[in-house]
Amino acid sequence: LNMSAFLGHIHYWLYRKIQLLVERENLIVEKTAKVVDDLAEELHSISVDTYGEPINPSIPLENIIDHGNIHGWLANQINIASVREAAFIRDLLDTNSGDEAVHVVTAILDAFAVQGQACGVVAQDNLEEHTAPAIYNALQNFYVNGMPCDGGDQVVSESPDEFTWVGDHRLQAGYWRTAGVDPKFMALAYQTWFEAFVKAIDPAFELVTTEENGTRLYSIRKK
């Protein structure tokens, strides 16, 4: 029996997002190593030892997945990769001070921006209409926002020129709590990723962040 027959489009879609998470983690190692040298690799090794090895992004899904527990395997990989990245970022932020800390923050945010931009460029190919909701949907194809059964973001309003949702990162917040990382910093990192993605997929739009009654809102808005 061909086991991969049970693997649907959604499983490959989720796996690609997990691969991107691992690739971003590697990018953070690369960028922060330029600031703190071997410390970046050392801290990364600690988070790998604590939370588990990253998947090898070059291995096809059907060769790596637990065919007896497809859903559980994917959910677990999202959890491992998300917590490991957040714990690594926590350690980078905690072990550096003064000027070095500023450079580390810049390097981490740069990794998020570089990947957000790269994903935005790739997403251009499949963008069928240049509207805010279409760009939002494209965004969902590239970053881990929980499992499909978790329910997505809370949408506030949508029109062709503007799509607004609550930027509470509720599906990532649990991973951040587990890792003990500063949620404000992680929200900033994701915001940086979103901004770079939107700018790259369609320069006529931008990501705008606003606060309303203490709630952060993200809007993809036509300029």
Side-chain angles (χ1 to χ4, degrees):
L1 182 66
N2 176 8
M3 287 306 286
S4 62
F6 292 107
L7 290 173
H9 164 73
I10 199 156
H11 302 125
Y12 287 99
W13 178 73
L14 278 170
Y15 183 56
R16 181 67 196 125
K17 297 208 282 186
I18 297 166
Q19 288 172 311
L20 283 168
L21 193 49
V22 171
E23 286 168 17
R24 184 172 69 210
E25 191 181 333
N26 293 335
L27 198 55
I28 295 169
V29 176
E30 191 187 306
K31 298 242 177 225
T32 54
K34 290 173 183 164
V35 182
V36 293
D37 302 322
D38 297 345
L39 181 62
E41 286 286 359
E42 280 170 39
L43 294 177
H44 189 237
S45 299
I46 292 168
S47 58
V48 168
D49 290 347
T50 310
Y51 298 103
E53 285 281 339
I55 55 164
N56 178 341
S58 64
I59 299 177
L61 178 61
E62 52 273 24
N63 297 356
I64 196 173
I65 200 167
D66 174 358
H67 288 276
N69 183 14
I70 290 168
H71 184 278
W73 186 89
L74 285 163
N76 190 44
Q77 289 302 325
I78 288 175
N79 183 49
I80 292 170
S82 299
V83 173
R84 189 182 55 236
E85 179 190 54
F88 173 45
I89 289 172
R90 175 203 68 206
D91 289 347
L92 282 167
L93 297 175
D94 285 356
T95 49
N96 294 286
S97 57
D99 285 349
E100 210 150 68
V102 175
H103 294 309
V104 164
V105 164
T106 304
I108 296 167
L109 294 179
D110 188 35
F112 274 81
V114 164
Q115 198 200 43
Q117 185 195 9
C119 291
V121 169
V122 170
Q124 280 179 328
D125 294 343
N126 295 317
L127 189 67
E128 286 172 6
E129 47 182 28
H130 290 260
T131 64
I135 292 170
Y136 171 79
N137 288 334
L139 185 75
Q140 298 297 324
N141 287 328
F142 287 89
Y143 84 106
V144 172
N145 200 15
M147 293 284 281
C149 51
D150 293 336
D153 298 319
Q154 192 183 327
V155 178
V156 176
S157 65
E158 60 177 296
S159 70
D161 290 347
E162 188 167 348
F163 186 99
T164 302
W165 72 100
V166 176
D168 58 1
H169 298 283
R170 63 184 185 83
L171 295 174
Q172 287 91 17
Y175 307 130
W176 301 346
R177 275 196 300 277
T178 303
V181 69
D182 176 5
K184 283 197 175 72
F185 180 81
M186 292 304 292
L188 174 63
Y190 270 81
Q191 182 186 325
T192 303
W193 194 104
F194 292 163
E195 284 168 357
F197 180 93
V198 173
K199 191 175 175 184
I201 192 172
D202 187 344
F205 285 83
E206 61 186 337
L207 183 99
V208 180
T209 309
T210 52
E211 294 277 335
E212 202 173 276
N213 305 327
T215 302
R216 183 192 291 109
L217 298 177
Y218 290 133
S219 300
I220 294 170
R221 193 180 291 171
K222 194 157 196 176
K223 289 180 180 175

